[in-house]
Amino acid sequence: MSGSQAEELGAGPAPAGLPQPRLSGPARDAASRLGKYGPAFLIGHLGWAAPSAAAAALLQALAEKIDPANKIAFFGAMSTAGGVCASAAMIATGALSDRTRSRFGRRKPWILCGAVLAACAMALIGASDSKLWIITLFAVYKMGESASVGALFALMPDRLASNQLGRASGAAGLGYLLGQSVGTFAAAAFLTMPAAGLAVLPWIFVLCAVLVVLLVPGRSSLDRPRRPVSAQELLRSLRPPSDKDFWLAFAGRFLFIPFRWSWRTTSISSPTTWV
């Protein structure tokens, strides 16, 4: 009986010196794809999470400087406008991303252009003292962020097999958590000069988006059939899947986000946490 046969029958690993079993061709290719895309997902999610976490603190500090008496209402207006525009942009740019035809693929142009739009909008916020202008720019920032992040999420099922999505999601989640930590510590260095932080930190988003574009192998979408954009197609794309795993992931995400935001916004009600 060979070493590999003994191992299959539960007799333990093959003795040292004998050839070890290797992955089959498809399994090896799948592992190679995950090895390529895993770092890209980690970097990509770190890239948007870091400036997002930093902005939560820096915008509070900026609101304190611009309008100390109405800082809570001002920050609330920013959050509301940003949330509404982010949701609308995620739906619209997701549909457009599916139908994008370019030699760079469907997702890369949205990942990079969304990051550039978001960084420019956030940098301009730091240069303004108009509340209306800041609220508008923050909404534009959230739209760019949604366009980039939506395409980044869509890249995962585009390029990986279904049995690899769990590990790829783990890499993305790790990037998100690291980005939150990086953004929090970076914001602490700019709390006394929030305009400078808002001008500098969003470019982490662009840098990481460029790295994602470079790390992900190219795949043109020019030869894909064109799908029409219609209200009916858009509404059909909003229909949630019936898969159990989707709803488990949705529930976990849904519970996590309100907790995170409730923890952040408690600092707004306490003047001692404001600069």
Side-chain angles (χ1 to χ4, degrees), residues 173-265:
L174 177 60
Y176 173 79
L177 293 175
L178 289 174
Q180 290 278 297
S181 300
V182 169
T184 300
F185 284 113
F190 288 97
L191 276 180
T192 57
M193 43 182 180
L198 292 170
V200 172
L201 297 179
W203 298 100
I204 297 174
F205 196 176
V206 176
L207 174 62
C208 290
V210 170
L211 291 176
V212 170
V213 169
L214 295 176
L215 287 172
V216 172
R219 183 181 296 179
S220 173
S221 61
L222 290 173
D223 57 346
R224 297 177 67 94
R226 294 185 179 275
R227 296 167 54 192
V229 180
S230 65
Q232 185 178 6
E233 284 290 326
L234 190 60
L235 290 174
R236 187 180 294 115
S237 68
L238 297 178
R239 184 172 56 192
S242 58
D243 184 71
K244 175 185 175 183
D245 290 340
F246 168 83
W247 289 107
L248 289 173
F250 176 84
R253 185 72 173 171
F254 178 81
L255 294 172
F256 173 74
I257 291 179
F259 171 78
R260 179 169 64 90
W261 279 101
S262 64
W263 176 80
R264 279 186 182 179
T265 53

Side-chain angles (χ1 to χ4, degrees), residues 17-229:
L18 292 181
Q20 300 296 316
R22 295 182 177 180
L23 293 173
S24 63
R28 184 170 59 251
D29 292 342
S32 176
R33 283 199 305 273
L34 185 61
K36 291 178 181 177
Y37 291 113
F41 293 134
L42 188 150
I43 292 171
H45 286 276
L46 184 153
W48 73 265
S52 178
L58 295 177
L59 288 172
Q60 292 179 23
L62 186 66
E64 167 73 19
K65 287 192 172 184
I66 293 175
D67 190 357
N70 300 297
K71 59 190 177 186
I72 297 176
F74 180 24
F75 188 79
M78 271 193 288
S79 300
T80 302
V84 171
C85 290
S87 300
M90 183 70 76
I91 296 169
T93 58
L96 293 173
S97 173
D98 289 340
R99 292 160 177 79
T100 297
R101 301 294 176 262
S102 77
R103 66 188 184 93
F104 302 105
R106 296 185 294 170
R107 314 303 181 189
K108 286 184 179 182
W110 291 95
I111 291 172
L112 184 56
C113 293
V116 172
L117 176 63
C120 290
M122 187 61 74
L124 289 173
I125 287 176
S128 175
D129 57 2
S130 165
K131 291 194 290 185
L132 179 60
W133 186 232
I134 289 173
I135 292 171
T136 302
L137 286 171
F138 184 69
V140 173
Y141 166 78
K142 296 303 289 186
M143 291 170 66
E145 181 189 73
S146 291
S148 182
V149 175
L152 185 61
F153 273 114
L155 189 65
M156 200 177 293
D158 280 356
R159 301 297 182 92
L160 297 176
S162 58
N163 62 352
Q164 296 176 311
L165 295 180
R167 282 173 287 181
S169 296
L174 177 60
Y176 173 79
L177 293 175
L178 289 174
Q180 290 278 297
S181 300
V182 169
T184 300
F185 284 113
F190 288 97
L191 276 180
T192 57
M193 43 182 180
L198 292 170
V200 172
L201 297 179
W203 298 100
I204 297 174
F205 196 176
V206 176
L207 174 62
C208 290
V210 170
L211 291 176
V212 170
V213 169
L214 295 176
L215 287 172
V216 172
R219 183 181 296 179
S220 173
S221 61
L222 290 173
D223 57 346
R224 297 177 67 94
R226 294 185 179 275
R227 296 167 54 192
V229 180

Side-chain angles (χ1 to χ4, degrees), residues 60 71-72 265-275:
Q60 292 179 23
K71 59 190 177 186
I72 297 176
T265 53
T266 52
S267 64
I268 302 175
S269 61
S270 175
T272 59
T273 62
W274 288 63
V275 176

